[in-house]
Amino acid sequence: MHPDRSYEVIVVGGGHAGTEAAYAAARMGARTLLLTQSIDTIGQMSCNPAIGGIGKGHLVREIDAMGGVMARAIDRAGIQFRILNQRKGPAVRATRAQADRALYRQAVRDILDEVPNLILFQDTVQDLVVESDTVRGVVTGTGLVLHAEAVVLTVGTFLGGRIHIGEHNRSGGRAGDAPSIALAERLRELPLRVGRLKTGTPPRIDAASIDYSRLDAQPGDEPLPYFSRWSRGDEHPEQVACHITHTNAKTHEIIRGALHRSPMYSGEIEGTGPRYCPSIEDKVVRFADRNAHQIFLEPEGLKAREVYPNGISTSLPFDTQVALVRSIAGLENAEITRPGYAIEYDYLDPRDLAPTLESLHLPGLLLAGQINGTTGYEEAAAQGLLAGINAVARIRGLASWTPARHEAYLGVLVDDLTTRGTSEPYRMFTSRAEYRLQLREDNADRRLLPVAREYGLIADADWADFERYCEAIEREQTRLERTWLRPQDLGEDSGEALLGQPLRREQNLMALLRRPEMEYDRLMQIPAAGPGVDDPRVREQLVIEARYAGYLKRQDDQVARQARHEQTSLPVDMDYGEVAGLSSEVREKLSHHRPATLGQAARIPGMTPAAVSLLLVHLKRDEPRKRA
Amino acid sequence: MATRTICAVATPPGRGGVGVIRLSGPDAAAIGAAVAGPLPPPREARFRRFRNAAGEHLDEGLCLYFPGPKSFTGEDVVELQGHGGPVVMDRLLQALIAEGALLAEPGEFSERAFLNGRMDLTRAEAIADLIEAGSEAAARAAMRSLEGAFADTVHDLVAALTALRVHLESSIDFSDEPLEGLALNDLSRQIEAIRQQIAATQAAARQGQQLREGLTVVIAGRPNAGKSSLLNALAGRDAAIVTAMAGTTRDVLDTHLHLDGLPLRVLDTAGLRESSDVIEREGVRRAQAAMAEADRILLVVDDGAAEQSDDDLMAELPAGVPVTRVLNKIDLSGRHPGLLAEEPNPCLAVSALTGEGMDALRESLRRTAGVDEGEARFIARRRHLLALEQAAAALDEAAEAARTGLGEELIAESLRVAQDELGRITGAVTTEDLLGEIFSTFCIGK
């Protein structure tokens, strides 16, 4: 790094959002600086050592299809892989992996080091350089003024962080790191809405002090799943099992006895915690009838001595933590290596962002990750990727990337955040996606790789490979649609047995594949139908789409109906006071949210169809004036 | 260009001998022809009989066809001009919807005309007013349509569906959590139960007298207050036995009459009073039952019997049913005819014998019955019925998916569609609402 050089993009923060943002920007050819408080903690997993899961795994696959880091890194660092919802349908199947923290950090670092335009630099950020209402760079803790055409802020919980353990609390980012208080104060001066959230972690336990003989082991899946479409299958390190234990009546008694010393219940904590990730004291209070709660003992790594007991996040005093841990089966002699804690932090209201994640108030500033009110590595990484791409798009005058809700979970994520905001740490769930059947892990590449290619994020060889894959799907699909089976084509005995039920009239293979009980392999055994294709990925795509056909068609129709609204953009500076007929309540909401499109406006809570019509009429009226 | 074909009543609601229904969109010609028979040449009126898919005769009148872009909206437009009246108009709309048309949103015709350049830009403000006023009227009508038992059953329905979705969605999104799962059998059974509930709601809504037969009004009052005379004055014929002996009308008499196109079903009840006569007591019991189900009660009071307070009578009336107090026999008491208290619980002075004040009573009934906004109300109910139909179809799909062993995600998809449809009646249940339910029902989170 040379202090006099100017960059095209500066990314502040080396977490999951920051690394994806920097990587994408650099791969698009932008001179990119990644500014982090500690180069050694780039790619650090600050909470539980796992990536993926339902909804989250979907995001990882999307990041991968966009040429991102996360999927490849976890394939090199995952020590237990599972496919969740294996028994349910393909749309909700999701990959999850336990990670070796050290290997993960190393993998991220190795991947970042592959890119020539990316420079890493260790320093804090004190301030933003703002010139004529546009962000033009940052001022570092050591007083350097660094210029850039766009700044991506991914500072996680470092803004105004406050850590609570029992009655004690202190300023802090995640345990061990300094919070960015100066930057937080600076941001609070800007016309950005700032809110406060809370999250927590469990105490960590020395692996050697756990009695595994008493616990159920949960091994990974076979064959070994992987995240990245570019993985060859030999990246995985050694695999290990997780273990499961439970809290019990005694644990709950200990917790109840110490509630008055919990910052949550003493009113010390003002931030809102996530409902889906309550602390153990919350679970005991709110679900008093339950006498046991499940705990996953997640190894922190192959060589690491620590275990992450997922399920007992707590901010109770340390002595209570020791007692409650030791009341649990297998943990009777457990040694705590780090206490659990709750952390409160600032987030910036994501409704102040455009769907590109650029600030509506400060052009040139993009925000990604936990600072936008989300939780989770995957949610952060996905935003980082999108912000990185859009930072470069802005500089180069390219079309920005704002995936729609039917195109990607990333679209759902950003649309939810920028349209509705959030009052608790936002986590992805598949139930948030109304087009869930289209947004699958298995077709993330088909949905997004062409977009990534447009932005120069896919190498030629990879693209050629992808095109061959798509052609193979199309070819076989056409063949299935055009190959007709007549009842007399079936052999006397084998045909009906293979079909499961008689063929009454001529049908094409695609229609037969749609039968719920039909399997591709079985269908291909019919002489007139086979031999079919060998590539299991191609087969999978055809089978899924055959099975979902009617549902996907209905969703497509719905998308088409909304397309006009989604494509009608609303000017950022639109004066909603001028729109005739709007109620003052709707007017206020629109001025507040400043939706980017009519579609987004329609999704703002409290909007009515009539208000959307009024906006349409207003836009139409203004059209000739704009053209003149 | 719009892809959907919409239909709506184009004439101002309530009065007038002609009711016009307009269809606009790419399928207007086909849908119009399905109901009215072969379309006339463009811009020429022809007499046609309007029928539904079952061949039932609904109305007759003129049919006009305006191919786009030279039409009101710039799209293909078909107009059906019939005799009108809310019930007929509703049945016509129903026939068009069955052929594939959608009910237009308030102001949607004008909006299309405007967006297709068929309306002067200077009229944008007027269009805005129209949309705003239209949607407010529609909202009011929807609220009124949602009053009473119908609302309760729909809310029960939404609650049952939400509970089922909470189970299903949490088993999908939190399959790693030790939740009490829902066996496929249970799932099928619950889907079936909700499907039955929809069927019952549909039946209840369809039987709603407001839709098929108009309003039900019960005439009640003390013996000899002139209830039957009032009915005759309203009906214009001798529908009930009228005598001067208290307790003559022992049963509930059922009369149908029309008030400016709004069908009115008037039940004349036995007098309200304690009686030792078994038959008469039975009459009183029936009167109470009829009143409880009425849309409105006409409480008839003998204006001449001034010494009798009617507070005790009021106390006997079922709660929640609006009341019109009618002070009868002003020919004897000498009071001036007309309105003494405003809606929604008006009081009027009339003489059923001389007819004095009867016009004011009819006018008041029309107003309280919502005849002035009759069509808006009927359309609101029609929207609700359509939403119920769509929800029923989605539940059938869910049941089929469960039966054939398709994935839970497909069952969940159909249930989501069903809930979206019911959301048109009660307001949407958002993902946030659903997640909130999930997190308060289950202990989730590692």
Side-chain angles (χ1 to χ4, degrees):
Chain A
M1 211 280 301
H2 194 283
D4 297 337
R5 272 194 75 180
S6 84
Y7 296 88
E8 288 180 282
V9 177
I10 291 177
V11 176
V12 183
H16 304 280
T19 50
E20 296 288 355
Y23 186 68
R27 293 211 39 229
M28 285 172 75
R31 273 197 323 283
T32 307
L33 180 72
L34 175 62
L35 208 52
T36 168
Q37 289 191 343
S38 164
I39 286 184
D40 296 331
T41 58
I42 284 177
Q44 169 89 317
M45 306 179 112
S46 52
C47 193
N48 69 320
I51 298 252
I54 300 157
K56 290 165 169 281
H58 293 78
L59 282 170
V60 179
R61 287 286 174 94
E62 291 180 359
I63 293 166
D64 188 53
M66 292 300 293
V69 176
M70 186 167 262
R72 280 188 293 149
I74 184 63
D75 278 347
R76 296 183 199 177
I79 54 176
Q80 188 231 31
F81 284 81
R82 287 167 62 215
I83 307 275
L84 306 180
N85 278 342
Q86 185 84 265
R87 288 212 188 119
K88 300 191 172 82
V92 295
R93 255 171 237 160
T95 317
R96 184 182 190 276
Q98 291 299 140
D100 178 306
R101 284 183 201 277
L103 288 179
Y104 190 82
R105 268 200 317 268
Q106 190 58 50
V108 170
R109 187 64 200 276
D110 289 347
I111 293 167
L112 292 187
D113 285 346
E114 290 165 12
V115 215
N117 297 319
L118 179 58
I119 291 142
L120 309 181
F121 189 67
Q122 180 167 315
D123 204 340
T124 57
V125 170
Q126 295 281 15
D127 205 350
L128 300 170
V129 178
V130 181
E131 287 166 11
S132 51
D133 289 332
T134 302
V135 172
R136 288 282 177 205
V138 298
V139 182
T140 73
T142 52
L144 297 174
V145 179
L146 300 171
H147 288 276
E149 292 173 58
V151 172
V152 182
L153 211 54
T154 69
V155 293
T157 60
F158 283 78
L159 284 184
R162 178 156 286 272
I163 284 181
H164 298 262
I165 303 173
E167 298 96 333
H168 304 281
N169 64 71
R170 61 180 162 82
S171 303
R174 59 193 173 213
D177 292 317
S180 304
I181 290 171
L183 184 59
E185 278 171 6
R186 170 67 179 159
L187 288 172
R188 277 189 188 265
E189 284 166 19
L190 294 170
L192 307 173
R193 286 173 286 181
V194 182
R196 201 128 172 95
L197 293 174
K198 185 216 92 161
T199 186
T201 71
R204 314 289 168 86
I205 297 169
D206 185 344
S209 67
I210 299 175
D211 178 7
Y212 285 108
S213 67
R214 306 188 46 192
L215 305 177
D216 292 334
Q218 184 187 49
D221 286 350
E222 288 290 341
L224 209 50
Y226 55 89
F227 275 101
S228 176
R229 87 179 308 278
W230 324 113
S231 287
R232 297 173 308 273
D234 59 359
E235 290 81 358
H236 296 334
E238 182 194 337
Q239 299 294 298
V240 299
C242 282
H243 288 82
I244 298 173
T245 184
H246 296 90
T247 59
N248 52 50
K250 193 177 164 208
T251 320
H252 297 184
E253 197 185 301
I254 294 168
I255 291 168
R256 283 195 201 98
L259 277 181
H260 61 285
R261 295 169 67 202
S262 157
M264 294 275 302
Y265 290 88
S266 65
E268 195 65 43
I269 290 180
E270 49 172 301
T272 312
R275 288 169 298 178
Y276 45 81
C277 192
S279 62
I280 186 65
E281 50 267 35
D282 246 8
K283 291 192 220 178
V284 168
V285 171
R286 285 181 44 215
F287 296 91
D289 55 327
R290 291 276 298 267
N291 45 27
H293 294 280
Q294 184 173 260
I295 304 167
F296 286 89
L297 296 177
E298 303 180 348
E300 299 242 319
L302 293 173
K303 293 185 184 138
R305 296 252 332 228
E306 283 177 292
V307 161
Y308 187 99
N310 202 342
I312 51 168
S313 144
T314 182
S315 56
L316 288 167
F318 184 65
D319 55 321
T320 310
Q321 293 188 19
V322 173
L324 87 86
V325 164
R326 290 191 171 177
S327 71
I328 295 167
L331 306 182
E332 292 85 352
N333 299 306
E335 291 293 339
I336 290 180
T337 52
R338 307 175 206 208
Y341 59 88
I343 176 167
E344 281 187 287
Y345 56 97
D346 286 351
Y347 77 106
L348 302 181
D349 192 331
R351 288 174 296 179
D352 288 335
L353 300 174
T356 55
L357 294 182
E358 184 169 0
S359 169
L360 291 173
H361 299 287
L362 278 176
L365 179 68
L366 294 94
L367 297 142
Q370 232 169 341
I371 190 171
N372 289 338
T374 62
T375 174
Y377 311 137
E378 304 82 356
E379 287 84 352
Q383 291 173 67
L385 171 90
L386 184 131
I389 291 171
N390 285 327
V392 182
R394 177 182 203 276
I395 294 167
R396 301 273 155 88
L398 305 172
S400 53
W401 183 48
T402 54
R405 295 182 72 92
H406 68 276
E407 290 169 331
Y409 271 96
L410 230 169
V412 174
L413 172 70
V414 173
D415 185 62
D416 277 353
L417 289 175
T418 59
T419 307
R420 290 176 236 238
T422 186
S423 54
E424 69 178 335
Y426 179 101
R427 175 180 149 184
M428 186 49 71
F429 300 109
T430 68
S431 49
R432 294 195 194 272
E434 60 272 46
Y435 303 111
R436 175 161 69 187
L437 299 180
Q438 326 216 2
L439 306 183
R440 308 186 303 270
E441 274 198 358
D442 65 74
N443 70 353
D445 51 359
R446 294 178 70 197
R447 290 184 276 124
L448 297 177
L449 218 113
V451 180
R453 174 70 175 171
E454 293 273 308
Y455 285 112
L457 293 166
I458 304 297
D460 290 347
D462 291 339
W463 177 249
D465 172 64
F466 173 72
E467 280 193 311
R468 276 194 298 277
Y469 166 66
C470 291
E471 278 160 19
I473 296 171
E474 253 168 63
R475 213 179 309 122
E476 179 63 359
Q477 186 170 2
T478 310
R479 190 185 77 84
L480 294 176
E481 276 163 5
R482 292 192 184 157
T483 306
W484 291 79
L485 273 192
R486 294 166 302 173
Q488 60 265 38
D489 292 337
L490 300 177
E492 273 298 300
D493 35 56
S494 69
E496 271 193 19
L498 291 167
L499 280 181
Q501 49 176 297
L503 188 64
R504 291 202 186 79
R505 55 183 175 84
E506 193 181 37
Q507 280 202 307
N508 68 23
L509 296 180
M510 196 49 110
L512 291 170
L513 200 55
R514 279 190 198 121
R515 293 183 173 184
E517 72 287 358
M518 183 51 66
E519 284 162 23
Y520 184 86
D521 267 349
R522 206 143 38 82
L523 187 60
M524 289 307 125
Q525 282 171 32
I526 298 171
V533 289
D534 289 331
D535 187 339
R537 293 179 310 164
V538 173
R539 293 169 168 212
E540 189 190 21
Q541 289 302 299
L542 292 165
V543 170
I544 293 171
E545 284 182 9
R547 195 135 307 164
Y548 280 2
Y551 296 86
L552 292 177
K553 167 82 171 58
R554 184 167 65 200
Q555 296 203 330
D556 283 346
D557 291 348
Q558 208 175 337
V559 170
R561 275 203 300 278
Q562 313 230 344
R564 185 163 148 215
H565 285 176
E566 298 298 336
Q567 284 153 15
T568 305
S569 53
L570 296 169
V572 178
D573 58 353
M574 181 141 164
D575 180 357
Y576 290 100
E578 276 191 1
V579 183
L582 289 183
S583 73
S584 56
E585 187 197 343
V586 165
R587 215 166 254 167
E588 194 178 311
K589 280 198 166 121
L590 288 167
S591 314
H592 210 68
H593 282 77
R594 297 208 233 159
T597 63
L598 204 55
Q600 200 185 11
R603 284 190 293 276
I604 294 174
M607 280 292 283
T608 60
V612 174
S613 292
L614 292 170
L615 283 177
L616 251 182
V617 168
H618 182 82
L619 289 173
K620 176 84 178 176
R621 193 194 65 172
D622 270 10
E623 249 172 35
R625 235 187 276 161
K626 289 265 160 62
R627 266 190 238 119
Chain B
M1 193 62 89
T3 55
R4 316 180 317 156
T5 299
I6 52 173
C7 61
V9 178
T11 33
R15 307 164 193 241
V18 181
V20 177
I21 283 183
R22 211 175 260 158
L23 262 170
S24 177
D27 302 324
I31 296 171
V35 172
L39 293 182
R43 288 175 296 282
E44 285 181 29
R46 291 282 189 282
F47 180 81
R48 292 282 184 268
R49 287 182 211 288
F50 309 141
R51 296 173 194 280
N52 61 17
E56 269 181 90
H57 176 97
L58 304 174
D59 199 1
E60 55 198 23
L62 298 179
C63 174
L64 290 102
Y65 173 43
F66 306 90
K70 283 174 155 183
S71 70
F72 171 61
T73 57
E75 305 167 339
D76 287 355
V77 168
V78 171
E79 257 184 39
L80 309 179
Q81 307 184 351
H83 292 99
V87 175
V88 172
M89 299 299 249
D90 179 62
R91 297 190 71 192
L92 263 175
L93 282 178
Q94 211 181 326
L96 295 171
I97 290 162
E99 297 293 338
L102 294 163
L103 259 190
E105 296 295 329
E108 195 173 355
F109 275 87
S110 303
E111 182 188 320
R112 286 189 180 197
F114 183 74
L115 295 176
N116 291 329
R118 298 294 296 172
M119 216 175 253
D120 195 337
L121 285 177
T122 56
R123 291 187 57 192
E125 302 285 326
I127 301 286
D129 289 346
L130 201 65
I131 293 172
E132 192 199 3
S135 68
E136 272 177 21
R140 275 200 307 274
M143 280 305 293
R144 274 200 307 276
S145 168
L146 250 189
E147 281 162 4
F150 178 67
D152 293 344
T153 53
V154 172
H155 281 116
D156 288 351
L157 199 52
V158 169
L161 190 53
T162 304
L164 186 55
R165 287 193 70 211
V166 161
H167 268 94
L168 199 56
E169 292 291 343
S170 56
S171 84
I172 288 174
D173 266 334
F174 306 99
S175 61
D176 240 12
E177 305 275 346
L179 307 175
E180 300 97 69
L182 201 59
L184 205 59
N185 277 346
D186 284 346
L187 191 61
S188 291
R189 223 180 43 237
Q190 291 194 26
I191 292 171
E192 185 49 35
I194 295 173
R195 180 66 185 81
Q196 297 291 340
Q197 229 175 317
I198 291 190
T201 312
Q202 279 177 311
R206 280 203 204 97
Q207 282 165 6
Q209 296 91 334
Q210 277 148 312
L211 200 58
R212 279 276 170 265
E213 298 142 44
L215 293 180
T216 298
V217 173
V218 170
I219 300 181
R222 275 187 226 284
N224 242 344
K227 299 187 295 295
S228 299
S229 315
L230 189 76
L231 170 59
N232 289 340
L234 275 174
R237 62 188 167 88
D238 283 343
I241 314 155
V242 188
T243 71
M245 191 196 297
T248 310
T249 312
R250 287 187 178 159
D251 211 340
V252 177
L253 283 184
D254 195 343
T255 307
H256 295 257
L257 48 98
H258 274 257
L259 214 58
D260 294 340
L262 181 92
L264 208 59
R265 181 171 172 230
V266 186
L267 302 175
D268 182 11
T269 64
L272 289 173
R273 65 157 194 195
E274 293 301 315
S275 172
S276 52
D277 183 320
V278 180
I279 299 171
E280 207 163 89
R281 266 214 308 272
E282 174 60 15
V284 172
R285 196 194 60 76
R286 288 187 197 183
Q288 293 285 2
M291 284 191 295
E293 286 170 15
D295 295 306
R296 175 163 291 274
I297 295 168
L298 284 188
L299 181 66
V300 186
V301 182
D302 182 349
D303 197 39
E307 68 279 8
Q308 272 185 312
S309 156
D310 54 5
D311 288 351
D312 59 323
L313 276 183
M314 290 298 277
E316 276 185 60
L317 301 182
V321 182
V323 177
T324 297
R325 283 176 67 223
V326 181
L327 308 182
N328 193 19
K329 305 188 186 178
I330 55 169
D331 48 305
L332 299 177
S333 69
R335 192 196 291 270
H336 283 293
L339 198 63
L340 302 175
E342 298 284 327
E343 284 89 12
N345 290 306
C347 178
L348 292 110
V350 306
S351 165
L353 191 69
T354 65
E356 275 180 294
M358 286 305 293
D359 280 345
L361 176 59
R362 285 195 192 93
E363 182 69 27
S364 169
L365 270 179
R366 270 171 38 83
R367 265 200 309 277
T368 52
V371 170
D372 289 334
E373 294 156 305
E375 267 143 20
R377 186 166 181 171
F378 273 70
I379 286 165
R381 187 57 71 107
R382 171 59 46 212
R383 274 186 215 285
H384 293 163
L385 279 173
L386 283 171
L388 282 174
E389 265 168 42
Q390 299 290 333
L395 274 164
D396 288 342
E397 191 182 75
E400 177 66 9
R403 197 184 59 75
T404 55
L406 294 181
E408 284 170 46
E409 78 281 14
L410 295 180
I411 301 172
E413 169 69 10
S414 302
L415 294 183
R416 185 183 66 79
V417 171
Q419 186 141 48
D420 282 353
E421 291 298 339
L422 292 182
R424 292 172 198 274
I425 306 178
T426 56
V429 173
T430 65
T431 306
E432 268 313 306
D433 299 336
L434 194 68
L435 286 171
E437 281 291 317
I438 288 177
F439 298 133
S440 58
T441 310
F442 300 112
C443 179
I444 278 166
K446 290 188 247 178

